[in-house]
Amino acid sequence: MGIALDGLVSGLNTTELINALMDVHAIPRNLMKAKADDKNVIISQLQTLNTSIQDLAAKAKAAASGDSIDRFAATSSSKNVTVALRPGATAVTADIVVDRVAQKHTVVTAASAEWPDAPPTLTLENAAGERVEVTAASSSMTDVARAINGAGFGISASVVAAGTDADGNPVQRLQLVAAESGEDGAFRVLRGDIASTEAGTAADVVDAPGAAIVATGTDAQVRLWAGTAAEQVITSSENTFTDLFTGVDVTVTAASTDAVTVGVTVDDAARTTAAADFVNQLASILTRIDNGSKATVGGGADDTTTLGVFTGDSTVRALRQALAEAIQHPIDGVSPSSIGISIDRYGVLTIDEKKFAAALADDPAAVTGMFTGMAERVQQTAETYSDKYDGLLTARITGQQSEVDVLGKQMERWDVRLEQRRATLERTYARLETMLSQMQSQSQYLTSQLAGLPSFDTGSR
């Protein structure tokens, strides 16, 4: 690194001189930096646009399958029966009778100060006849509950206070509850090991005085078309009957002898809103492209033209045109404007929701067919431009990024050259100061020598 001797001899501000010269030398590098910054702004905007197009492609794919505007409302004539809809649901109405709801098998043991057996060895048996043997650390009710819970056998045990015995000692019960509801969750708890259980000598805890089965594990049961020759009984280990009808889940919370009417109806208002949301999303993208492509001319004394980030970008312009054509070209000879979807002379895409709703009510199949046809074309266009591997817009972003990378490497080389140039200037000016210092020293020496020469008086002759 050179040493700057700012005007020690010459009086010149060499640092300012070097900086000014470096500013001139750095002009090409600064132009590259400005160009790279502009391209980074363009890349950022293109990436944002590409993300929006990818999202549009996904929405269009759903719309092309008809799912995006399939909107249904669920109904039930009883608060004890609820209906939930999933993809694939269609309009349906039916009466069901809820015979019973699902229960978890629940057992309460007899009250005692501690478990009657020592050591407390138990056999847990499920509805399938599978068994597991557990032994508690002590006869305390807490340790017995801990041993049952630790077995991981689908039985949850908890200790419940049950007052005091005749001697005033606190007594407790165990409440044993199946982890799963339904008949398959039923279980037995026997006092003894597996060998005694198999021998039939192990006593069931519910046989003790004061013990009871509080709830028997049962499946929920409903009947369709009750009282007719087509009556159908359906059971479930849970209170939710999944896919009772295609895409329709029915949950029951109480039994009833009266039939409950459940139904799924087409929600035309929601279908119109869904269609409008899709069209408005596309309209927003077209507007963003239009705004980014404008060239603004300053008014008054400022006649500078400011270009939009997409101005002159042929890829974005082609994307805009392709999307507009996908939405406005006729489907089977019928214009989308007939169902309220149109583009005005300024290129603004809109949807007349009242007109769309009226067309949907008049001919749902025709409107759905036209809408899905438009969505399919939008999907194809969006995927052509936004595919993450070979999309046209993706390639445009990649190309811009490559140019920025090249500019970055060129700027790095320029930075090296500029550092070398600054070092050269600093050495040059440092030598200048040194030479001036030497010349000044020589001048002072000659002056002192001249001053020391003898003088001659010529006037006295």
Side-chain angles (χ1 to χ4, degrees):
M1 179 178 177
I3 300 176
L5 304 174
D6 263 0
L8 291 178
V9 178
S10 66
L12 297 174
N13 190 334
T14 54
T15 298
E16 287 187 1
L17 286 173
I18 292 172
N19 288 339
L21 290 171
M22 290 306 301
D23 287 342
V24 175
H25 288 300
I27 289 176
R29 197 270 185 197
N30 292 337
L31 291 175
M32 290 181 188
K33 178 64 166 59
K35 187 175 181 180
D37 290 343
D38 288 343
K39 286 189 175 296
N40 278 324
V41 172
I42 293 173
I43 289 171
S44 177
Q45 293 296 321
L46 288 174
Q47 288 173 332
T48 301
L49 177 61
N50 202 35
T51 299
S52 297
I53 299 300
Q54 289 173 342
D55 181 62
L56 178 66
K59 298 288 181 59
K61 184 176 182 180
S65 67
D67 291 344
S68 68
I69 60 170
D70 279 346
R71 294 293 186 271
F72 299 95
T75 60
S76 171
S77 63
S78 171
K79 65 180 181 180
N80 295 323
V81 179
T82 56
V83 181
L85 306 181
R86 292 184 292 103
T90 57
V92 65
T93 300
D95 290 338
I96 65 172
V97 174
V98 182
D99 293 326
R100 62 175 182 263
V101 296
Q103 293 188 118
K104 290 184 177 181
H105 196 76
T106 304
V107 171
V108 174
T109 67
S112 62
E114 61 180 7
W115 196 257
D117 304 318
T121 297
L122 303 172
T123 296
L124 311 180
E125 182 180 88
N126 61 21
E130 298 169 332
R131 294 167 179 161
V132 65
E133 183 180 303
V134 298
T135 300
S138 74
S139 295
S140 76
M141 291 295 212
T142 299
D143 281 344
V144 174
R146 186 178 293 116
I148 293 173
N149 291 330
F153 199 63
I155 302 174
S156 174
S158 57
V159 179
V160 181
T164 58
D165 60 16
D167 298 326
N169 299 315
V171 293
Q172 298 170 319
R173 298 175 184 267
L174 289 185
Q175 178 174 274
L176 309 171
V177 182
E180 302 293 337
S181 60
E183 295 177 2
D184 291 342
F187 61 84
R188 291 199 307 161
V189 177
L190 300 109
R191 292 167 49 193
D193 56 18
I194 291 180
S196 61
T197 298
E198 292 175 345
T201 59
D204 195 321
V205 295
V206 298
D207 293 335
I213 297 177
V214 177
T216 300
T218 54
D219 291 342
Q221 178 177 301
V222 299
R223 284 177 291 146
L224 294 174
W225 313 295
T228 72
E231 181 176 280
Q232 181 175 342
V233 176
I234 302 174
T235 61
S236 171
S237 61
E238 299 179 343
N239 285 321
T240 295
F241 292 80
T242 302
D243 265 344
L244 185 63
F245 307 101
T246 302
V248 181
D249 299 340
V250 175
T251 300
V252 298
T253 57
S256 174
T257 56
D258 298 326
V260 177
T261 301
V262 295
V264 178
T265 59
V266 176
D267 190 338
D268 287 334
R271 295 182 75 183
T272 299
T273 299
D277 289 344
F278 176 75
V279 173
N280 290 334
Q281 180 181 2
L282 178 54
S284 175
I285 291 174
L286 296 180
T287 300
R288 184 194 306 175
I289 293 174
D290 290 342
N291 291 338
S293 302
K294 291 179 180 178
T296 306
V297 179
D302 182 12
D303 59 353
T304 303
T305 299
T306 302
L307 301 180
V309 70
F310 300 140
T311 302
D313 193 313
S314 59
T315 302
V316 176
R317 183 170 61 250
L319 167 63
R320 204 264 185 225
Q321 182 178 351
L323 289 174
E325 291 175 351
I327 203 73
Q328 68 180 347
H329 278 189
I331 303 290
D332 295 331
V334 181
S335 172
S337 61
S338 63
I339 60 172
I341 301 174
S342 60
I343 295 180
D344 64 18
R345 61 194 180 97
Y346 299 106
V348 178
L349 172 64
T350 58
I351 178 171
D352 185 332
E353 294 188 36
K354 291 183 178 179
K355 189 173 182 179
F356 185 91
L360 190 62
D362 183 58
D363 192 344
V367 172
T368 300
M370 177 172 291
F371 189 82
T372 55
M374 288 188 300
E376 184 176 356
R377 293 192 306 208
V378 171
Q379 176 194 353
Q380 292 172 350
T381 299
E383 290 177 348
T384 297
Y385 279 84
S386 67
D387 183 85
K388 63 180 180 180
Y389 297 112
D390 55 7
L392 299 178
L393 195 56
T394 304
R396 175 68 173 149
I397 294 170
T398 302
Q400 290 287 305
Q401 187 61 58
S402 296
E403 292 185 28
V404 170
D405 292 342
V406 171
L407 288 172
K409 292 178 180 178
Q410 292 177 349
M411 285 188 289
E412 289 176 1
R413 290 194 290 269
W414 263 98
D415 288 338
V416 173
R417 289 199 292 269
L418 289 173
E419 288 179 4
Q420 293 173 343
R421 182 58 181 159
R422 176 179 287 276
T424 299
L425 289 172
E426 288 175 346
R427 287 195 299 270
T428 299
Y429 279 98
R431 285 198 297 268
L432 173 63
E433 293 293 334
T434 301
M435 291 175 64
L436 288 174
S437 177
Q438 292 173 348
M439 293 175 64
Q440 188 178 58
S441 296
Q442 291 176 355
S443 174
Q444 291 173 350
Y445 172 76
L446 292 174
T447 299
S448 65
Q449 290 298 315
L450 291 172
L453 292 175
S455 60
F456 298 95
D457 186 3
T458 59
S460 61
R461 291 183 179 181

